[in-house]
Amino acid sequence: MATRLYTHPIFLEHITPPGHPERPDRLRAIERVLDDEAFAALDRVEAPQGDEATILYAHPADFVARVRAAIPDEGIARIDADTTASPKSWQAVITAIGAANAAVDDVFAGRADNVFVAARPPGHHAEKTTAMGFCFFNTAAIAARYAQKKHGAERVAVVDWDVHHGNGTQDIFWDDPSVLYCSTHQMPLYPGTGAKSETGAGNIVNAPLAPRTGSEVFRDAFLSRVLPALDNFAPDLIVISAGFDAHHRDPLAEINLTEDDFDWATGQLMQRAAIHGGNRLVSLLEGGYDLQGLAFSVAAHVGRLMKG
Ligand SMILES: [Zn+2]
């Protein structure tokens, strides 16, 4: 078995306005770095068409219809202050969900050791009924519920190391103790949620990081809060909301991680997946806006996944 990589050309056709940080070049930078022969053993698969009905696992139908109606026939339409849609955005969003769900299928069927999904737009800011922060629907939340509905997973953990708090994922699972949500993120920073005191049904573990901290504080948060919560919860599947905007080069935040930190954190989560969940681990790209920082971080992350 190998590490599987899902991506698709449609992800380049979700167009954002000039100067927008969440841009197609992000995926081109990832494709370029994974072209290196060090990644020759990756099992590269084109993302399948998603099943739109699975969006309803995390969002109500009237909200889904509202988002769909906002997709323009031409040009760019504004969804919220920093979230925009272009004509192909719907197809990109549905394919991102299709890839995440297929990744869940793969790890439960034993077709892959683990999977990285290089897709855009991201998802972790999408709340039950709000598209925001570059996100339309919450791909990680849909994948977690998909694992429960299609594969009988009882406990799914979503670990979110994007530098922004995943308010959407927290919102969706706030009163659902069958899903553990753990997040490390800079605070204060957009979107403003993610205090330690936000604990949901005891299934939300927030580990806020002060601005201008780095590796030591991040690893301590992982060791003292995230990993013990995972060991206590014993998930059948770990989904990573893998944003790489806590990298020191990133323009949207002030946390100073290096690619070595993402390598390390990946290894820690692989160990937990081995202990509790038959190695089942699915990683979904979220943020990361400096092209070099993003590419090097993804290389470290995927390189670690491939070491098995
Ligand atoms: Zn982010």
Side-chain angles (χ1 to χ4, degrees), residues 124-125 162-164 245 287-289:
H124 74 149
H125 292 306
D162 188 283
V163 81
H164 303 94
D245 40 10
Y289 304 101

Side-chain angles (χ1 to χ4, degrees), residues 28-191:
R28 294 191 182 100
I30 290 173
E31 277 174 25
R32 260 197 308 278
V33 77
L34 296 182
D35 258 348
D36 190 276
E37 66 177 290
F39 301 98
L42 266 180
D43 176 22
R44 294 157 204 265
V45 181
E46 186 163 279
Q49 171 75 29
D51 174 1
E52 294 182 15
T54 64
I55 304 171
L56 300 175
Y57 294 174
H59 304 279
D62 58 340
F63 169 68
V64 177
R66 208 160 73 229
V67 171
R68 183 158 205 169
I71 307 290
D73 293 329
E74 55 184 43
I76 291 178
R78 196 160 285 285
I79 306 279
D80 95 326
D82 42 33
T83 312
T84 59
S86 66
K88 296 284 181 65
S89 295
W90 183 262
Q91 195 55 42
V93 166
I94 298 305
T95 307
I97 292 166
N101 291 343
V104 170
D105 287 336
D106 291 336
V107 296
F108 275 95
R111 281 190 294 268
D113 278 327
N114 49 44
V115 186
F116 180 63
V117 177
R120 55 182 290 280
H124 74 149
H125 292 306
E127 299 183 344
K128 278 179 204 147
T129 60
T130 308
M132 59 183 279
F134 319 159
C135 305
F136 294 71
F137 302 126
N138 198 310
T139 316
I142 293 166
R145 288 252 165 88
Y146 180 86
Q148 294 180 317
K149 289 177 189 293
K150 299 287 173 166
H151 297 284
E154 292 179 9
R155 293 175 309 282
V156 180
V158 179
V159 178
D160 185 336
W161 67 47
D162 188 283
V163 81
H164 303 94
H165 181 242
N167 59 294
T169 316
Q170 172 169 298
D171 173 62
I172 289 163
F173 297 122
W174 183 255
D175 53 5
D176 179 355
S178 72
V179 176
L180 174 71
Y181 177 67
C182 300
S183 176
T184 57
H185 48 273
Q186 179 178 324
M187 195 168 197
L189 188 67
Y190 181 91

Side-chain angles (χ1 to χ4, degrees), residues 268-291:
Q268 294 296 318
L269 295 185
M270 289 168 72
Q271 278 182 19
R272 265 54 195 194
I275 294 167
H276 303 294
N279 288 314
R280 288 181 290 271
L281 188 149
V282 165
S283 174
L284 310 176
L285 179 66
E286 299 278 5
Y289 304 101
D290 175 82
L291 297 183

